[in-house]
Structure formats: structure tokens, C-alpha cells
């Protein structure tokens, strides 16, 4: 008795199997190309955004005759900044293209300028000292909106590494929700900054500050008259940055 041979598949079945394989191969190739195309588009957009930010900063730096890496914060400060400027860019937290937290938008461009301006520990320490002694020292950042962005970036970094500072992360969230935006009357309307100072005072103890700094923070609104509020808000910001060890930790 001869062993039975395995059944032979007819040609129709073979052609069907081959068609299924071709279809699967086409689907895999199509999805792969879609992934590659999406990756290419996202990468290209990121490169364009970085190039735009770098060119804008290079233009500003070349106008001052020095690069960001070699110039001091005083050279980069916006002494002639307009009320709607943040680090020399026409923007505000309420700008439609601000996009806080996104790698694209005015918020990202301003943050890039800020980080380049205070890239070294010495530059950051000079900023903190000028703010803490706002009643006597020349200010490195004449525009307080620049100071608020420094605070925001410091809190953004801190909440990633120190859960104890989440209370200031909440202030950052409120800033993004426009709680601290002033009115349209320029320096005559600082209602948003008054709220910011109050929120900083409430949370300052979480930074475990030195006794003298804690007393100074609590007495800010008593030691300075209402017409000196610019000094109050700068000192409050400086004390927070000092107690966060901003000069060492950076942005």
C-alpha cells in the first residue's frame, strides 16, 4: 500500500493566497509611508520654528553689537520696551499665538530669548540682586513682563523636579489663565501684578526662606507707599527667585 500523498491545492487557491499577500504588503507599505510622511512634516515644522527664533534673536543681538553668549543681561535688557513687549518680542500672555507650553508660538520664542539672556549663573545672580534691591539698584530688566516670564520658566522647571514647589506651579497655571494680566492703561493699572504679589506672599513660606527675607516679604506692602508698587512687585519676584536658588538652578 502506498502512502497517500498530501492533497494538492488547485491554482485558484494559490492565486487567492497570492492576492491576499499583495494586499497585506500594500497596506503595510501605505501605513509605513504615512508614518514617514508625518514624521517628515513634523520635523520640518520644528526646524522652521527653530530657525525663525534663532534668526530673530541673531538680528536683535547683532544690532547691539554682541552675541547672546558673550553679552551681559544689561546689554540684552529691553530698556525701551513697549508695554506689549516681552524680551523684545511684541507679545503678551493673552496673545492669540502665545501657546504657552507648546514648542511653537510666541511663548516659545520669548522663552528662548529669556534662557539665552540668563544662560549663566552670574547673569542670573545679577538679576536676583537687582530685583531684591529694586529700591536702590539699576534694574537689569526694565519691563516687568520680562520678570514675570523669568518667574514662569523657573516655576515650570521647579515643578518637574521638586513636588514641594507645586504651589508655585499653581501660580504658573493662574498666570497662563491670565489672572495676572493688567488692564489696558499701561503702568497706571497694575491690578494683575497686585494679585501676583499677594499670591507670592501667601506661598512664600513653602520655599523655607531665611528669616530676614520672610520678614521683608511680609512687610512689602507696609514698607512702600502705593506709588512705589513697582518696587514692591520687583522685590517680591526677587525674593522668590532668591529662595528658589534660581541663580544655581537656572531655567
Amino acid at each position: 500500500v502506498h502512502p497517500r500523498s498530501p492533497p494538492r491545492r488547485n491554482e485558484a487557491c494559490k492565486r487567492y493566497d497570492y492576492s491576499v499577500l499583495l494586499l497585506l504588503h500594500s497596506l503595510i507599505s501605505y501605513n509605513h509611508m504615512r508614518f514617514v510622511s508625518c514624521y517628515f512634516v513634523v520635523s520640518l515644522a520644528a526646524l522652521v520654528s527653530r530657525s525663525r527664533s534663532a534668526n530673530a534673536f541673531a538680528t536683535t543681538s547683532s544690532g547691539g553689537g554682541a552675541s547672546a553668549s558673550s553679552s551681559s543681561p544689561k546689554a540684552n535688557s529691553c530698556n525701551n520696551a513697549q508695554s506689549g513687549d516681552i524680551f523684545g518680542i511684541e507679545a503678551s500672555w493673552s496673545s492669540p499665538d502665545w501657546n504657552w507650553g507648546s514648542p511653537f508660538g510666541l511663548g516659545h520664542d520669548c522663552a528662548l530669548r529669556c534662557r539665552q539672556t540668563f544662560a549663566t549663573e552670574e547673569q542670573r545672580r545679577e538679576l536676583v540682586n537687582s530685583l531684591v534691591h529694586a529700591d536702590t539698584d539699576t534694574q537689569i530688566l526694565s519691563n516687568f513682563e520680562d520678570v514675570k516670564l523669568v518667574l514662569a520658566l523657573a516655576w515650570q522647571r521647579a515643578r518637574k523636579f521638586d513636588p514641594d514647589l507645586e504651589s508655585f506651579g499653581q501660580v504658573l497655571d493662574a498666570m497662563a489663565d491670565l489672572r495676572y494680566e493688567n488692564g489696558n492703561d499701561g503702568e497706571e493699572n497694575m491690578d494683575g501684578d497686585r494679585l501676583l504679589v499677594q499670591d507670592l506672599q501667601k506661598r512664600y513660606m513653602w520655599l523655607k526662606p531665611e528669616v530676614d527675607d520672610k520678614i521683608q516679604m511680609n512687610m512689602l506692602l507696609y514698607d512702600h507707599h502705593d506709588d512705589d508698587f513697582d518696587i514692591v512687585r520687583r522685590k517680591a519676584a526677587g525674593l522668590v527667585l532668591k529662595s528658589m536658588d534660581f541663580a544655581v538652578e537656572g531655567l
Side-chain angles (χ1 to χ4, degrees), residues 32-43:
H32 177 72
M33 290 304 296
R34 285 183 60 191
F35 174 79
V36 172
S37 299
C38 291
Y39 180 80
F40 176 76
V41 170
V42 172
S43 301

Side-chain angles (χ1 to χ4, degrees), residues 135-174:
D135 49 347
T136 58
D137 288 7
T138 301
Q139 291 302 293
I140 291 176
L141 294 177
S142 62
N143 184 4
F144 191 70
E145 290 301 310
D146 296 351
V147 178
K148 289 163 73 172
L149 182 60
V150 173
L151 288 170
L153 292 174
W155 296 332
Q156 185 184 60
R157 181 189 183 281
R159 79 189 313 182
K160 296 178 181 178
F161 300 102
D162 191 349
D164 293 338
L165 297 183
E166 178 55 30
S167 59
F168 287 94
Q170 295 171 2
V171 179
L172 172 58
D173 293 339

Side-chain angles (χ1 to χ4, degrees), residues 169-190:
Q170 295 171 2
V171 179
L172 172 58
D173 293 339
M175 187 177 290
D177 289 337
L178 309 183
R179 171 176 168 81
Y180 309 120
E181 287 295 280
N182 296 317
N184 298 322
D185 302 329
E187 289 300 308
E188 297 180 0
N189 186 336
M190 294 184 285

Side-chain angles (χ1 to χ4, degrees), residues 7-136:
R8 299 179 61 183
R9 305 182 65 181
N10 57 36
E11 292 298 325
C13 290
K14 290 182 179 180
R15 286 195 298 270
Y16 174 79
D17 291 345
Y18 184 69
S19 299
V20 171
L21 289 175
L22 284 178
L23 178 60
L24 289 174
H25 181 269
S26 299
L27 289 174
I28 294 173
S29 300
Y30 174 70
N31 289 329
H32 177 72
M33 290 304 296
R34 285 183 60 191
F35 174 79
V36 172
S37 299
C38 291
Y39 180 80
F40 176 76
V41 170
V42 172
S43 301
L44 182 60
L47 289 173
V48 170
S49 177
R50 292 179 181 177
S51 176
R52 181 184 64 178
S53 301
N55 289 337
F57 181 73
T59 301
T60 304
S61 299
S62 61
S67 64
S69 59
S70 61
S71 60
S72 67
K74 293 181 181 180
N76 280 324
S77 63
C78 307
N79 294 325
N80 298 319
Q82 302 298 317
S83 58
D85 286 354
I86 299 181
F87 281 93
I89 298 175
E90 187 175 352
S92 71
W93 286 79
S94 58
S95 296
D97 297 330
W98 182 250
N99 296 336
W100 179 253
S102 169
F104 310 103
L106 293 175
H108 172 268
D109 296 343
C110 293
L112 177 63
R113 291 272 189 96
C114 180
R115 290 190 173 99
Q116 290 171 326
T117 301
F118 299 106
T120 69
E121 180 177 342
E122 180 182 359
Q123 292 170 329
R124 295 190 292 270
R125 196 174 302 281
E126 288 181 4
L127 173 63
V128 172
N129 290 336
S130 73
L131 291 171
V132 172
H133 303 99
D135 49 347
T136 58

